[in-house]
Amino acid sequence: GDAMGFPGFGIDPTIVRWDMSNDVIKYGEDLIQLSRLTMSKLKDKLSQDGKSYHELLVGYNISMFYYYRALYSIKHYIGGVKIDRAVVGQENAGKPFIPINSQEQKRAMKALVEYGFSPRAFLAPNDLYAYLQIQRRGFDNFRRKTEDPKIHNQIAFFQRSILAHLLHPTVLKRMTDSRLYGNTYTVAQMMTDLTVGIFEEDLNTNVTTIRQNLQHIYVDGLISGLSNSKYDYVSKSAILFEIKKIEDMMKTKGKNEETKAHRNHIQFKIDKTLKHTK
């Protein structure tokens, strides 16, 4: 049967409990679970004797797109403001601007961390990656490209896109402005939740290559914001606070050489930034 854009995979959508109300966070989490379930069945459903693995690759890309699309919707809860365009005196008119309450924003951040930034984020079954082979169409054009799947690039693209929204100066300024009319989820709290979600879980273990990429992307974003005139002082203070917090975290060097090298690199970036920041 067909299930939410996954035709012919034989997945029963009732396996996942769907919430079709206005709860975008719960709906997004359900869609991610369905995407994961789909990926777990791809190799069995889309591998046929005598055929290439191109359909399997397409199925994987569709699954990952729906996974990312769910997070794309959830991220708008952070710093979100509901707008009522009713005119003065209109029946049932509310306030023109109502911030999304802090509990919902924190719930959205929890989902973003778990499904977008944790060591489990965006991962497919390990036995799937080696089969993600594109079908050759015109050898002369294809030979200029490498065939191996670019898994790290794809996941880094998704994570960078989500972080670009969360760290955008407009979003951060709106979080602070909206505190004057009801928002209680501050920029400092949001960035603390990000730093914890991106660094804390594997702080005392080795860091996977995907998380290494993520941690560099996040630190690069913070460093860029510190010297960008589009950020207000509240945001820059929170950014500097997180950079120094991460600097302390990097003193834990990890167990293997790769993790030690990774943390030395992060520390090098931060030291260089703080040395030239006035």
Side-chain angles (χ1 to χ4, degrees):
D2 294 357
M4 290 300 295
F6 304 113
F9 291 175
I11 294 177
D12 180 0
T14 61
I15 294 175
V16 179
R17 185 171 65 86
W18 290 91
D19 187 339
M20 300 300 287
S21 67
N22 291 326
D23 191 342
V24 175
I25 300 172
K26 183 65 180 71
Y27 179 80
E29 290 175 332
D30 288 343
L31 185 54
I32 289 169
Q33 294 301 332
L34 181 58
S35 298
R36 285 176 164 177
L37 178 62
T38 300
M39 284 191 282
S40 72
K41 296 177 178 290
L42 282 177
K43 194 155 71 72
D44 291 336
K45 295 292 183 180
L46 297 181
S47 298
Q48 300 181 34
D49 291 344
K51 291 189 176 182
S52 72
Y53 291 102
H54 187 73
E55 286 189 10
L56 190 152
L57 174 62
V58 171
Y60 167 80
N61 286 334
I62 291 173
S63 300
M64 288 292 280
F65 170 78
Y66 276 100
Y67 189 124
Y68 167 69
R69 191 66 182 81
L71 293 175
Y72 182 89
S73 298
I74 293 172
K75 70 183 174 63
H76 289 288
Y77 271 69
I78 308 302
V81 174
K82 299 176 182 178
I83 299 175
D84 189 334
R85 300 189 184 281
V87 298
V88 176
Q90 183 174 327
E91 186 178 357
N92 298 322
K95 297 178 182 178
F97 300 106
I98 303 175
I100 293 176
N101 68 61
S102 61
Q103 289 78 14
E104 288 298 279
Q105 292 190 65
K106 290 177 182 178
R107 185 168 154 245
M109 180 58 71
K110 184 178 179 181
L112 291 173
V113 166
E114 174 59 30
Y115 298 112
F117 304 136
S118 78
R120 297 163 295 282
F122 290 107
L123 293 183
N126 287 333
D127 64 347
L128 181 61
Y129 293 127
Y131 295 89
L132 300 179
Q133 184 181 55
I134 193 169
Q135 184 176 349
R136 288 177 176 242
R137 297 182 185 276
F139 181 77
D140 288 340
N141 291 329
F142 184 79
R143 66 183 177 183
R144 289 191 287 269
K145 302 177 182 179
T146 56
E147 296 188 41
D148 55 300
K150 309 300 186 294
I151 306 302
H152 286 78
N153 285 355
Q154 183 187 54
I155 294 175
F157 174 84
F158 292 149
Q159 293 174 327
R160 184 179 285 107
S161 174
I162 297 167
L163 284 173
H165 174 84
L166 299 177
L167 298 178
H168 196 281
T170 300
V171 173
L172 300 182
K173 287 179 183 177
R174 186 167 61 240
M175 291 185 74
T176 298
D177 278 335
S178 60
R179 287 171 61 185
L180 299 178
Y181 49 91
N183 177 39
T184 59
Y185 190 45
T186 69
V187 169
Q189 289 174 328
M190 187 273 282
M191 287 195 178
T192 293
D193 290 342
L194 265 183
T195 298
V196 169
I198 291 173
F199 280 96
E200 192 169 87
E201 188 169 345
D202 51 17
L203 193 59
N204 295 311
T205 61
N206 294 319
V207 185
T208 67
T209 51
I210 290 174
R211 284 268 288 190
Q212 288 178 42
N213 283 345
L214 170 63
Q215 290 172 7
H216 274 288
I217 291 168
Y218 178 52
V219 170
D220 288 349
L222 293 177
I223 290 173
S224 176
L226 196 60
S227 59
N228 190 329
S229 61
K230 293 182 180 180
Y231 288 82
D232 63 2
Y233 289 121
V234 173
S235 300
K236 286 192 175 186
S237 296
I239 287 171
L240 181 58
F241 190 67
E242 295 309 309
I243 289 174
K244 290 187 174 181
K245 191 184 300 181
I246 294 167
E247 181 185 33
D248 288 337
M249 288 179 171
M250 293 302 95
K251 294 175 183 177
T252 302
K253 296 301 182 184
K255 297 181 179 180
N256 66 14
E257 292 301 306
E258 184 178 77
T259 295
K260 291 177 183 177
H262 163 67
R263 289 184 176 151
N264 279 336
H265 191 182
I266 294 286
Q267 195 167 35
F268 171 79
K269 284 184 175 181
I270 292 174
D271 289 346
K272 184 178 179 181
T273 298
L274 295 180
K275 182 178 180 180
H276 293 91
T277 300
K278 297 180 180 181

